[in-house]
């Protein structure tokens, strides 16, 4: 058993608004092993009260620091680190001119390993402790990322990118040598092999990953839907309604479906644990379909601003009541830092909410990158919060990390002002330490 003393931020789970923060100026976080041997939060609260209850716990004291839940990144592409900051007119030329050429390099297992190591290290440096991310269409890219995440004991979900048409030939799913099975069937067999090998091993999870409807044949989408039913606790990840030209293309390829989103429903790919990136150009029927199926949106504001895709409608999502959380979308997105993503979400919501003139509160933004994203993954109470029972993934923030941060956070009169100062001014320098559950307690 170990305890950490500092200011502590967590989120209420038993009261409205559901994104209400609980802030302890002088708090204690007590961690220890659960029945499965995983390090979890045993208790959290004011130092003065809790210290008496756990006199045997060794205490690490971080004066002037803030302990907060590790961030949850709901959507990214680990093979696109090098694509960050590649300008294009819009999504489709960006894919063709920058992204596909880079993803082709992942045919080399050594390239995959180096990229996986950099990506995981960068997530942790930025305080991200749970991530759902795309690999490429090469099985070696999936193996490389799981191998590295397992070494770091990180909660990570990924999967083989399914794309059997409308991309460069070397990036499409491939047939196995000397095997008569076609490439589409092989991609589904590879998916099953990877699920068997990695899903629910340590803290790893598998996601069935059709890239987006335009890159998948009907056979590949229907095979994916069948796998999604066979493996109900496996995740699904894809893209939808990001860009107007992409939407027109998807509608042309699947004219029978009511909308772009409905294509996925028609192939049984909307359900709980299904995460769809972007979800920008929706109507109310799409929103209701998300709600009724339990699918969730990964909101990617830095990517949407960079690629000029549009603005996610948070008010519309809340009005209809479907789940969403924040995501970096590296490399369409421009930053690994959750602070940059939260600030971009603030700008985007401000743009969208002309009716009220209000944007999102700092507590709501922070919640979307922690508890909200965890809920979208079906992992509420497991990650994204620091309530008793949650896995002990947390960050230690230094509000004095830069002269401007120190000046501004010293003026904060309440928790909203403190959080907002960090959202507006923060980046990786704020993250002094990232603690992963199961790792040895920090000295
Ligand atoms: N749609 C299909 N593939 C991609 C991708 O790699 N990035 C983004 N932003 N959208 C996509
Ligand atoms: Zn994406």
């Amino acid at each position: 058993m170990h305890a950490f003393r500092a200011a502590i931020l967590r989120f209420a789970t038993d009261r409205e608004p559901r994104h209400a923060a609980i802030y302890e100026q002088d708090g204690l976080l007590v961690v220890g092993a659960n029945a499965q041997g995983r390090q979890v939060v045993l208790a959290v609260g004011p130092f003065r009260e809790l210290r008496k209850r756990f006199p045997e716990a060794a205490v690490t004291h971080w004066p002037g620091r803030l302990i907060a839940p590790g961030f949850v990144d709901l959507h990214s592409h680990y093979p696109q680190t090098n694509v960050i900051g590649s300008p294009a007119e819009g999504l489709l030329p960006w894919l063709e001119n920058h992204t596909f050429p880079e993803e082709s390099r992942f045919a080399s297992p050594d390239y995959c390993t180096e990229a996986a190591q950099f990506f995981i290290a960068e997530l942790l440096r930025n305080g991200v402790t749970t991530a759902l991310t795309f690999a490429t269409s090469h099985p070696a890219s999936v193996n490389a990322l799981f191998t590295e995440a397992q070494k770091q004991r990180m909660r990570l979900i990924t999967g083989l990118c399914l794309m059997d048409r409308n991309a460069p030939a070397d990036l499409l799913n491939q047939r196995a040598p000397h095997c008569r099975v076609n490439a589409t069937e092989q991609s589904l067999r590879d998916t099953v092999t990877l699920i068997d090998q990695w899903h629910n091993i340590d803290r790893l999870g598998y996601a069935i990953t059709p890239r987006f409807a335009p890159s998948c044949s009907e056979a590949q989408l229907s095979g994916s839907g069948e796998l999604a039913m066979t493996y109900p606790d496996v995740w699904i990840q894809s893209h939808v309604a990001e860009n107007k030209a992409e939407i027109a293309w998807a509608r042309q390829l699947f004219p029978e479906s009511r909308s772009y989103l409905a294509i996925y429903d028609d192939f049984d790919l909307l359900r709980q644990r299904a995460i769809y990136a972007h979800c920008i150009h929706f109507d109310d029927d799409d929103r209701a379909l998300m709600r009724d199926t339990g699918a969730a949106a990964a909101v990617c504001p830095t990517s949407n601003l960079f690629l000029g895709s549009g603005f996610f409608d948070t008010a519309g999502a809340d009005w209809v009541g479907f789940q969403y959380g924040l995501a970096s979308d590296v490399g369409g997105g421009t930053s690994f830092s959750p602070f940059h993503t939260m600030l971009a979400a603030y700008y985007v919501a401000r743009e969208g909410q002309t009716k009220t003139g209000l944007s999102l509160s700092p507590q709501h933004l922070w919640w979307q990158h922690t508890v909200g994203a965890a809920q979208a993954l079906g992992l509420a109470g497991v990650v994204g919060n620091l309530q008793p029972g949650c896995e002990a993934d947390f960050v230690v923030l230094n509000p004095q990390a830069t002269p401007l941060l120190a000046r501004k956070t010293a003026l904060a009169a309440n928790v909203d002002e403190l959080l907002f100062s960090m959202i507006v001014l923060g980046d990786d320098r704020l993250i002094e330490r990232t603690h992963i559950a199961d790792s040895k307690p920090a000295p």
Side-chain angles (χ1 to χ4, degrees):
M1 188 189 297
H2 202 95
F4 302 96
R5 179 180 181 186
I8 299 177
L9 176 77
R10 65 193 199 275
F11 289 88
T13 49
D14 56 356
R15 70 169 110 115
E16 291 293 323
R18 61 202 169 112
H19 41 76
I22 303 171
Y23 180 77
E24 225 78 65
Q25 179 61 45
D26 183 14
L28 195 68
L29 181 75
V30 186
V31 305
N34 68 6
Q36 291 74 44
R38 187 158 294 160
Q39 192 184 52
V40 295
V41 177
L42 299 178
V44 57
F47 172 79
R48 272 157 42 98
E49 280 170 33
L50 272 192
R51 185 64 182 131
K52 287 180 233 136
R53 274 180 52 205
F54 296 93
E56 74 282 21
V59 177
T60 302
H61 190 191
W62 289 309
R65 302 298 188 259
L66 170 63
I67 295 172
F71 291 101
V72 179
D73 188 341
L74 211 42
H75 177 80
S76 65
H77 298 253
Y78 104 80
Q80 294 179 14
T81 301
N82 292 355
V83 181
I84 292 176
S86 301
E89 272 173 48
L91 171 67
L92 300 178
W94 175 81
L95 284 173
E96 195 180 322
N97 298 326
H98 300 292
T99 307
F100 290 158
E102 174 62 15
E103 290 193 13
S104 294
R105 303 201 168 99
F106 286 71
S108 153
D110 287 346
Y111 199 84
C112 297
T113 299
E114 191 281 330
Q117 287 171 348
F118 184 88
F119 180 80
I120 299 277
E122 197 62 12
L123 289 181
L124 295 174
R125 237 173 44 72
N126 280 281
V128 174
T129 51
T130 296
L132 170 63
T133 187
F134 269 57
T136 65
S137 50
H138 314 91
S141 74
V142 181
N143 287 321
L145 191 63
F146 275 137
T147 300
E148 185 58 23
Q150 190 177 33
K151 269 192 219 153
Q152 304 298 334
R153 291 178 288 255
M154 201 185 158
R155 240 193 206 279
L156 182 121
I157 307 165
T158 189
L160 180 73
C161 187
L162 300 174
M163 43 193 309
D164 64 356
R165 62 170 171 169
N166 293 327
D170 64 336
L171 203 54
L172 298 178
N173 301 120
Q174 303 290 315
R175 294 169 57 165
H178 317 300
C179 179
R180 297 175 66 159
V181 168
N182 71 31
T184 303
E185 180 56 27
Q186 187 62 44
S187 70
L188 300 168
R189 288 185 184 193
D190 288 344
T191 297
V192 170
T193 304
L194 290 164
I195 291 172
D196 290 344
Q197 196 179 343
W198 294 109
H199 184 61
N200 282 342
I201 303 295
D202 296 337
R203 305 180 79 200
L204 309 177
Y206 195 84
I208 299 165
T209 306
R211 183 175 204 125
F212 64 157
S215 71
C216 302
S217 65
E218 288 198 16
Q220 196 170 44
L221 289 178
S222 69
S224 302
E226 281 164 27
L227 290 180
M229 274 197 264
T230 309
Y231 299 97
D233 74 330
V234 156
W235 283 267
I236 299 167
Q237 59 177 344
S238 192
H239 298 90
V240 73
E242 175 178 4
N243 165 286
K244 296 251 170 82
E246 170 219 18
I247 295 170
W249 191 24
R251 300 299 311 276
Q252 192 192 333
L253 291 167
F254 296 91
E256 312 275 282
S257 295
R258 191 202 70 82
S259 67
Y260 185 0
L261 181 69
I263 299 169
Y264 297 114
D265 191 38
D266 293 343
F267 289 100
D268 299 319
L269 287 163
L270 296 185
R271 62 155 166 73
Q272 295 199 352
R273 295 196 166 204
I275 309 293
Y276 282 83
H278 308 298
C279 302
I280 296 171
H281 307 282
F282 270 3
D283 61 20
D284 274 344
D285 287 345
D286 292 324
R287 294 187 184 95
L289 189 54
M290 293 290 287
R291 178 196 60 208
D292 296 344
T293 55
V299 181
C300 309
T302 72
S303 167
N304 300 157
L305 292 167
F306 183 74
L307 291 174
S309 303
F311 305 103
F312 179 79
D313 183 355
T314 311
D318 285 342
W319 174 253
V320 174
F322 72 85
Q323 303 189 87
Y324 58 87
L326 285 178
S328 67
D329 193 28
V330 160
T334 50
S335 174
F336 279 85
S337 174
F339 299 103
H340 290 175
T341 303
M342 290 188 283
L343 180 57
Y346 178 82
Y347 294 146
V348 164
R350 176 148 205 121
E351 183 68 22
Q353 294 189 358
T354 43
K355 282 168 237 151
T356 59
L358 291 173
S359 190
L360 298 167
S361 73
Q363 295 184 31
H364 194 189
L365 288 162
W366 208 292
W367 179 93
Q368 285 185 43
H369 226 333
T370 52
V371 186
Q375 264 176 19
L377 288 170
L379 293 175
V382 180
V383 291
N385 206 347
L386 290 175
Q387 295 291 5
C390 289
E391 294 174 358
D393 286 340
F394 61 84
V395 289
V396 181
L397 306 178
N398 177 8
Q400 290 89 41
T402 69
L404 182 55
L405 266 168
R407 185 179 173 99
K408 185 70 189 158
T409 56
L411 295 172
N414 55 45
V415 64
D416 271 323
E417 290 184 12
L418 177 66
L419 298 186
F420 209 24
S421 300
M422 292 191 281
I423 289 170
V424 173
L425 300 174
D427 56 29
D428 51 339
R429 291 170 293 181
L430 248 176
I431 310 283
E432 191 163 83
R433 178 188 296 272
T434 301
H435 179 95
I436 291 284
D438 292 350
S439 50
K440 289 195 185 70

